[in-house]
């Protein structure tokens, strides 16, 4: 393995950009000490090298990954890129280098820290998206379903397929407030687009009635003789509660604040925006 | 007739809020919560999918998973089972959903992602056939009028005509008939209208329909599916004197003879003053229920048989120790096990190694021999497993394997566990849980997903 070059790479934050960092690492026979997304550039004291995203270079790396280490590893890398662990790009670089050296076996080399850390991060991502499949709450506004989440990882690409299959005939939007993105679906296509600051309207009477019925059910289904709040907390950590209907304070709908989105069903898919959607997720 | 939109109960009218409250309250002692066992997506123009692994949509304050809208069609009942809140002689408010309002409520909850589907049970109104017809109509509206493909668990009403049960089974994903009490004797005493026969008959019928149906499906790929997520049952623990040994053997037989997907256990919570039943202030035997679930897991996923876990001399589980550890301590001659050579089946018998970590070990050791650091990364709970394994002939550092050293190390956990169980309203001897901490209890009990032990 080449020496650390006492250099930091910075790149545009895209998946292709990350692949170009890998390309550069091989071309320059060096392993940078850090790989930084644009917003973190000021944070480094190392000399920084700007890695320009070049579709051709990215494509070469992208093609060689499944060839050399298998489709499963490529899938894993795509997922790892959606996680929120510190220095994920640097760890991915080490992982990919290991993969080029050892082949598909890299997926099982958990005694390597780079592999193990990414494995844990991807498990966390999968776990978070699995929990959200249950914990997400939609509200009906003018016939469209709208939800908000504050995930730790980028989960929308992992949720798309599930909710498409659940509500094929509906229109729905899930706002990711952490990453300022939204998953928008109308029959039969979806997009993931940048979205920030969109506020949801107050629920109408019909919507409020269903919410009250749900809260009634939630509070009634508990068996008092088995009260165990600690157990509830460990299955459903508190940070998920924020947007869950059952924890709304009575009379004051918390998931939705008065706002500007008057008619979400009128939101349509932007024609030419960047398509982050990945059907293979 | 009870199927009007609003029905008079106790001199006043009941609206949808009242109905939902009454019919949820009456259903909540049924413990089956899972939405697992079937994978499908919505049909064209319809709504709803199902994930084989099951999805929990919320957790109630008792820590149990909420996956399905669990309600009764009605809590009116012509029977008088003494352990049941809905018994005829109980002075309680009664209500009934109309099939359409129940279907509508399910869809509205489902669209908002509150639930994965419906769990519909019922008291027996008029007679079993009439009850079954009402339930079937609610399910028919969901499936046909709304094109609903989400999960439906329906309770078969014992005594209903097989043709009606069959109709219900083609609309539901899972069916269940509750055993309720673990012996004929207890049934006779406490459920005078039921008998072992009246419960096992529909169970056997459902089993036959499921196997006939799978034969049909081989021949005609588009044959309608009968209860594709299988059949389950439930029994009440602690209302009657049966031992764990008896209960576990019964469960094992039910799995074998009726091909059940799950047997659920429900710790009895006193709902009536009756000399035949535990006193009203008796705490529900939650730890016992937990031990039975652990043992059930060992039967279904770990290759244990009931006779290995308990016998005539040891009829009940040790409150202090989980069944797997208990078994291992009684079979120290089989340990320590060499991780790099033990078969998958042997690995599963090591405390601290679950199904997932055993599979990972088998795969990982093909690339080279494993050490303790890697085992930990594979998800093995070394704190427990270290007493029972060696890696490349070596034990974990500083370990001596004897009955004594294992027990001594467990005692150090005692304070921690006493603390954990402080909020657990258990009787004194049951507080001494050493292996089973509350996290474990949650995993196997409430989450209803595949657990590890
Ligand atoms: S038949 Fe069912 S609902 Fe009726 S009293 Fe017996 S257990 Fe309760």
């Amino acid at each position: 393995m080449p020496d650390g070059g006492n250099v930091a790479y910075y790149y545009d934050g895209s998946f292709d950009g990350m692949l170009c960092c890998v390309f550069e690492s091989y071309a320059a026979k060096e392993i940078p000490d850090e790989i930084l997304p644009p917003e973190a550039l000021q944070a480094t004291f190392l000399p920084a090298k700007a890695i320009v995203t070049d579709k051709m270079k990215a494509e070469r790396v992208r093609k060689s990954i499944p060839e050399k280490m298998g489709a499963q590893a490529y899938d894993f890398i795509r997922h790892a890129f959606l996680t929120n662990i510190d220095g994920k790009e640097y760890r991915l670089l080490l992982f990919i280098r290991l993969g080029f050296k050892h082949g598909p076996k890299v997926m099982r080399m958990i005694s390597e820290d780079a592999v193990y850390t990414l494995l844990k991060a991807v498990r966390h991502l999968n776990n978070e998206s699995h929990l959200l499949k249950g914990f997400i709450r939609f509200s009906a506004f003018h016939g469209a379903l709208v939800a908000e989440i504050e995930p730790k990882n980028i989960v929308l690409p992992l949720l798309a397929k599930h909710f498409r299959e659940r509500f094929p005939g509906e229109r729905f939007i899930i706002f990711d407030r952490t990453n300022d993105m939204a998953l928008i679906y109308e029959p039969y296509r979806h997009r993931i687009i940048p979205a920030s600051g969109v506020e949801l309207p107050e629920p109408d009477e019909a919507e409020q009635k269903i919410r009250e019925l749900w809260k009634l059910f939630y509070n009634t289904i508990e068996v008092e003789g088995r009260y165990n709040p600690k157990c509830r907390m460990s299955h459903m950590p508190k940070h998920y509660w924020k947007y869950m209907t059952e924890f709304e304070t009575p009379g004051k709908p918390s998931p939705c604040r008065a706002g500007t989105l008057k008619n979400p069903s009128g939101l349509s898919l932007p024609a030419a925006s960047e398509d982050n959607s990945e059907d293979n997720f | 007739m009870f199927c009007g939109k609003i029905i008079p109960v106790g001199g006043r009218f009941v609206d949808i809020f009242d109905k939902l409250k009454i019919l949820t309250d009456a259903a909540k002692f049924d413990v089956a919560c899972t939405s697992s066992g079937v994978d499908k997506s919505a049909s064209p123009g319809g709504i709803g999918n199902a994930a084989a692994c099951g999805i929990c949509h919320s957790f109630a304050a008792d820590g149990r998973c909420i996956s399905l809208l669990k309600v009764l069609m009605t809590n009116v009942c012509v029977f008088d089972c003494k352990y049941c809140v809905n018994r005829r002689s109980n002075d309680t408010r009664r209500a009934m959903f109309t099939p359409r309002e129940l279907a509508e409520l399910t869809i509205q909850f489902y669209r908002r992602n509150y639930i994965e589907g419906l769990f519909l049970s019922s008291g027996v109104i008029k007679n079993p056939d009439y009850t079954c017809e009402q339930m079937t109509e609610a399910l028919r509206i969901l499936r046909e009028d709304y094109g609903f493909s989400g999960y439906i668990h329906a309770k078969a009403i014992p005594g209903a005509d097989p043709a009606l049960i069959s109709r219900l089974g083609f609309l539901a994903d899972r069916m269940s008939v509750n055993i309720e009490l673990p012996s004929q004797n207890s049934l006779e005493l406490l459920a005078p209208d039921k008998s072992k026969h009246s419960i096992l008959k529909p169970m056997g019928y459902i089993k036959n329909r499921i196997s006939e149906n799978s034969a049909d499906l081989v021949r005609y790929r588009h044959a309608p599916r009968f209860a594709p997520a299988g059949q389950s049952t439930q029994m009440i623990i602690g209302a009657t004197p049966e031992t764990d040994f008896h209960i576990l053997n019964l469960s094992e037989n039910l799995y074998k003879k009726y091909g059940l997907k799950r047997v659920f256990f429900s710790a009895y919570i006193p709902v009536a003053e009756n000399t035949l039943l535990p006193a009203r202030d008796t705490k529900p035997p939650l730890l016992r229920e937990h031990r039975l679930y652990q043992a059930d897991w060992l039967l279904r996923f770990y290759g244990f048989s009931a006779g290995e876990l308990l016998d005539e001399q040891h009829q009940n589980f040790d409150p202090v120790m989980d069944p797997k550890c208990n078994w291992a301590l009684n079979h120290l001659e089989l340990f320590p096990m060499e991780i790099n050579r033990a078969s998958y089946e042997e690995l599963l018998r090591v405390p601290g190694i679950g199904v997932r970590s055993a599979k990972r070990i088998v795969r990982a050791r093909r690339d080279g021999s494993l050490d303790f650091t890697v085992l930990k990364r594979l998800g093995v709970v070394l704190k427990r497993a270290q007493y029972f394994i060696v890696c490349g002939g070596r034990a974990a550092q500083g370990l001596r394997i004897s009955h004594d050293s294992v027990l001594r190390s467990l005692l150090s956990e005692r304070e921690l566990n006493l603390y954990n169980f402080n909020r657990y309203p258990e009787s004194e001897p049951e507080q001494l849980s050493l292996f089973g901490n509350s996290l474990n209890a949650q995993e196997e009990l409430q989450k209803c997903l595949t657990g590890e032990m």
Side-chain angles (χ1 to χ4, degrees):
Chain A
M1 216 190 236
D3 278 349
N6 263 331
V7 62
Y9 288 178
Y10 72 96
Y11 78 118
D12 64 2
S14 69
F15 187 68
D16 278 0
M18 191 274 296
L19 295 179
C20 290
C21 294
V22 175
F23 189 95
E24 177 65 21
S25 160
Y26 276 95
K29 295 192 169 52
E30 67 186 2
I31 294 181
D33 289 349
E34 289 174 294
I35 300 179
L36 303 165
E39 63 272 14
L41 183 58
Q42 294 88 337
T44 184
F45 297 108
L46 295 169
K49 194 160 157 185
I51 308 299
V52 180
T53 301
D54 173 331
K55 289 274 174 210
M56 298 280 288
K57 289 178 182 170
E59 198 45 42
R60 278 179 60 187
V61 180
R62 186 205 310 281
K63 265 191 68 187
S64 57
I65 290 174
E67 276 166 20
K68 291 277 164 35
M69 50 192 115
Q72 206 197 345
Y74 180 70
D75 204 48
F76 177 76
I77 292 165
R78 294 294 322 239
H79 279 77
F81 193 70
L82 301 175
T83 66
N84 69 341
I85 49 161
D86 268 355
K88 71 180 171 200
E89 298 89 350
Y90 173 72
R91 294 174 204 276
L92 274 167
L93 171 66
L94 297 186
F95 179 90
I96 292 170
R97 293 191 70 111
L98 276 169
F100 281 135
K101 196 162 155 206
H102 297 281
K105 180 177 144 198
V106 66
M107 291 292 289
R108 300 188 299 272
M109 292 170 64
I110 54 168
S111 53
E112 295 285 344
D113 287 336
V115 179
Y116 183 56
T117 327
L118 288 177
L119 204 76
K120 273 197 305 188
V122 169
R123 261 182 225 158
H124 181 256
L125 165 79
N126 286 332
N127 190 42
E128 184 178 42
S129 93
H130 177 76
L131 289 179
L132 280 169
K133 283 175 191 170
F135 298 160
I136 284 181
R137 295 289 174 264
F138 287 93
S139 299
F141 294 116
H142 307 282
L145 300 172
V146 184
E148 294 176 280
I149 54 174
E150 255 171 61
K152 297 210 188 314
N153 301 286
I154 298 175
V155 292
L156 290 182
L158 277 71
L159 294 176
K161 180 172 178 283
H162 173 77
F163 284 104
R164 283 183 67 144
E165 286 177 0
R166 186 178 170 99
F167 302 129
E170 303 263 8
R171 306 157 139 260
F172 64 82
I173 309 174
I174 303 172
F175 288 104
D176 172 346
R177 299 303 192 190
T178 313
N179 301 294
D180 288 331
M181 313 158 95
L183 167 68
I184 300 189
Y185 173 82
E186 61 180 20
Y188 295 94
R189 59 201 184 121
H190 77 271
R191 280 285 161 89
I192 294 171
I193 58 162
S196 61
V198 184
E199 301 224 327
L200 310 189
E202 291 286 351
D204 61 21
E205 209 181 300
E207 169 62 24
Q208 195 58 41
K209 181 180 169 195
I210 303 290
R211 290 187 190 180
E212 295 304 328
L213 283 166
W214 172 244
K215 286 188 252 181
L216 177 71
F217 176 78
Y218 180 81
N219 292 321
T220 311
I221 199 76
E222 178 203 342
V223 177
E224 293 85 358
R226 308 180 61 121
Y227 183 63
N228 192 347
K230 227 174 89 192
C231 172
R232 167 171 65 182
M233 197 77 88
S234 78
H235 284 306
M236 192 170 62
K238 222 163 185 159
H239 68 267
Y240 288 105
W241 296 20
K242 182 169 175 188
Y243 296 107
M244 292 176 77
T245 315
E246 48 271 46
F247 300 112
E248 251 179 27
T249 38
K252 225 179 75 200
S254 78
C256 293
R257 297 165 298 276
T260 50
L261 183 61
K262 283 288 173 308
N263 182 5
S265 59
L267 266 189
S268 57
L269 299 179
S273 83
E274 193 200 352
D275 190 355
N276 291 317
S277 55
E278 279 288 331
D279 279 322
N280 58 348
F281 268 100
Chain B
M1 275 283 280
F2 273 101
C3 39
K5 194 130 191 114
I6 290 176
I7 58 168
V9 167
R12 55 178 287 240
F13 287 93
V14 192
D15 69 3
I16 183 76
F17 283 89
D18 282 329
K19 286 188 187 182
L20 182 61
K21 178 147 181 50
I22 293 168
L23 296 169
T24 302
D25 229 353
K28 69 185 177 192
F29 295 103
D30 218 302
V31 287
C33 68
T34 52
S35 56
S36 55
V38 61
D39 234 331
K40 56 184 177 177
S41 46
S43 47
I47 178 172
N49 58 352
C53 60
I55 293 176
C56 286
H57 283 255
S58 193
F59 287 86
D62 57 20
R64 297 194 301 168
C65 158
I66 300 176
S67 182
L68 305 171
L69 171 59
K70 182 160 62 185
V71 288
L72 299 188
M73 193 77 216
T74 179
N75 65 337
V76 173
C77 193
V78 296
F79 290 148
D80 206 30
C81 309
K82 300 197 169 36
Y83 50 83
C84 175
V85 279
N86 305 317
R87 66 191 183 282
R88 187 183 57 221
S89 60
N90 194 24
D91 179 21
T92 187
R93 298 178 70 202
R94 310 279 173 172
M96 182 173 190
F97 282 120
T98 67
R100 190 154 298 272
E101 73 191 347
L102 180 61
E104 171 72 16
L105 189 63
T106 306
I107 289 292
Q108 291 304 341
F109 278 10
Y110 191 84
R111 286 183 77 211
R112 287 162 180 79
N113 208 44
Y114 299 163
I115 53 168
E116 206 51 18
L118 176 66
F119 179 168
L120 185 58
S121 178
S122 186
V124 180
I125 183 165
K126 292 187 185 171
N127 56 55
D129 283 356
Y130 178 76
T131 311
C132 201
E133 278 163 5
Q134 296 301 304
M135 294 168 70
T136 305
E137 176 59 6
L139 267 48
R140 187 204 62 77
I141 295 171
L142 272 171
R143 293 295 197 216
E144 289 172 12
D145 297 359
Y146 289 99
F148 179 68
S149 304
Y151 197 86
I152 297 179
H153 178 159
K155 195 76 84 56
I157 305 295
D161 188 292
L164 293 172
I165 291 183
S166 168
R167 186 91 215 285
L168 201 59
F170 277 112
L171 294 163
D173 293 289
R174 169 166 288 179
M175 294 206 73
S176 61
V177 187
N178 284 359
I179 288 274
E180 303 293 14
L181 297 176
S183 74
Q184 171 73 13
N185 221 353
S186 298
L187 277 173
E188 269 166 22
L189 277 174
L190 296 168
D193 310 301
K194 292 181 184 165
S195 67
K196 198 170 139 196
H197 177 73
S198 74
I199 291 165
L200 292 181
K201 204 174 128 193
M203 204 180 258
Y205 176 75
I206 292 168
K207 182 207 161 210
N208 291 339
R209 290 313 310 252
I210 291 174
S211 50
E212 278 166 31
N213 184 233
S214 43
D216 287 349
L217 283 167
V218 173
R219 269 179 294 157
Y220 323 101
R221 213 159 49 80
H222 296 293
R225 304 195 63 190
F226 188 91
Q231 178 175 202
S232 67
T233 192
Q234 163 177 320
M235 51 187 119
I236 300 169
I237 303 307
T240 46
E242 292 80 12
T243 63
D244 292 347
F245 183 51
H246 177 93
I247 291 168
L248 203 62
N249 271 311
L250 176 58
S251 310
E252 192 174 62
N253 279 329
L254 289 170
Y255 283 126
K256 280 187 192 146
K257 281 205 195 116
Y258 294 92
L260 295 192
K261 280 280 153 48
R262 285 298 300 271
V263 174
F264 291 96
F265 307 108
S266 169
Y268 177 68
I269 296 174
V271 291
E273 204 61 76
N274 189 311
T275 48
L276 296 169
L277 286 167
R280 259 220 126 121
D281 56 359
T282 311
K283 297 259 184 346
L286 296 177
L287 183 56
R288 185 174 173 210
E289 180 195 270
H290 175 49
R291 290 278 176 263
L292 283 165
Y293 274 118
Q294 289 180 316
D296 172 72
W297 230 267
L298 294 176
L299 298 188
R300 291 188 298 135
F301 300 114
Y302 288 71
F304 281 88
S305 65
E308 285 180 291
L309 298 171
L310 293 170
D311 54 43
E312 295 290 346
Q313 279 71 49
H314 308 88
Q315 295 250 345
N316 287 301
F317 286 114
D318 190 341
V320 173
M321 204 175 292
D322 77 62
K324 190 176 175 187
C325 269
N326 198 30
W327 177 86
L329 284 177
N330 287 322
H331 293 86
L332 282 179
E333 72 282 0
L334 300 173
F335 300 103
M337 223 173 251
E338 170 59 57
I339 284 294
N340 288 296
R341 274 196 308 271
S343 68
Y344 173 73
E345 291 73 22
E346 287 171 327
L347 289 172
L348 280 180
R349 302 229 155 191
V350 179
I353 297 183
V355 170
R356 220 177 322 168
S357 41
K359 284 188 179 144
R360 285 185 191 146
I361 289 171
V362 172
R363 204 177 329 125
R365 66 189 180 187
R366 283 189 223 137
D367 298 321
S369 70
L370 308 176
D371 58 25
F372 281 93
T373 325
V374 170
L375 280 186
K376 197 174 175 149
R377 291 186 169 188
L378 287 172
V380 173
V381 186
L382 280 184
K383 215 166 79 184
R384 271 192 264 176
Q386 58 183 353
Y387 301 102
F388 304 98
I389 55 174
V390 285
C391 284
R394 273 190 312 195
Q397 251 170 8
L399 265 192
R400 260 188 57 243
I401 302 146
S402 72
H403 201 287
D404 244 32
S405 64
V406 178
L407 279 181
R408 235 181 303 125
S409 83
L410 299 173
L411 287 177
S412 60
E413 285 190 17
R414 186 177 181 152
E415 283 168 334
L416 178 73
N417 279 289
L418 274 176
Y419 173 75
N420 274 343
F421 273 96
N422 254 348
R423 296 178 185 178
Y424 230 65
E426 291 290 341
S427 54
E428 187 56 33
E430 291 188 335
Q431 288 193 350
L432 296 174
S433 166
L434 299 177
F435 277 105
N437 57 33
S438 54
L439 193 81
N440 233 321
Q442 298 147 16
E443 262 172 25
E444 281 121 30
L445 263 177
Q446 288 102 355
K447 213 160 176 194
C448 308
L449 302 172
T450 29
E452 307 253 320
M453 210 181 283

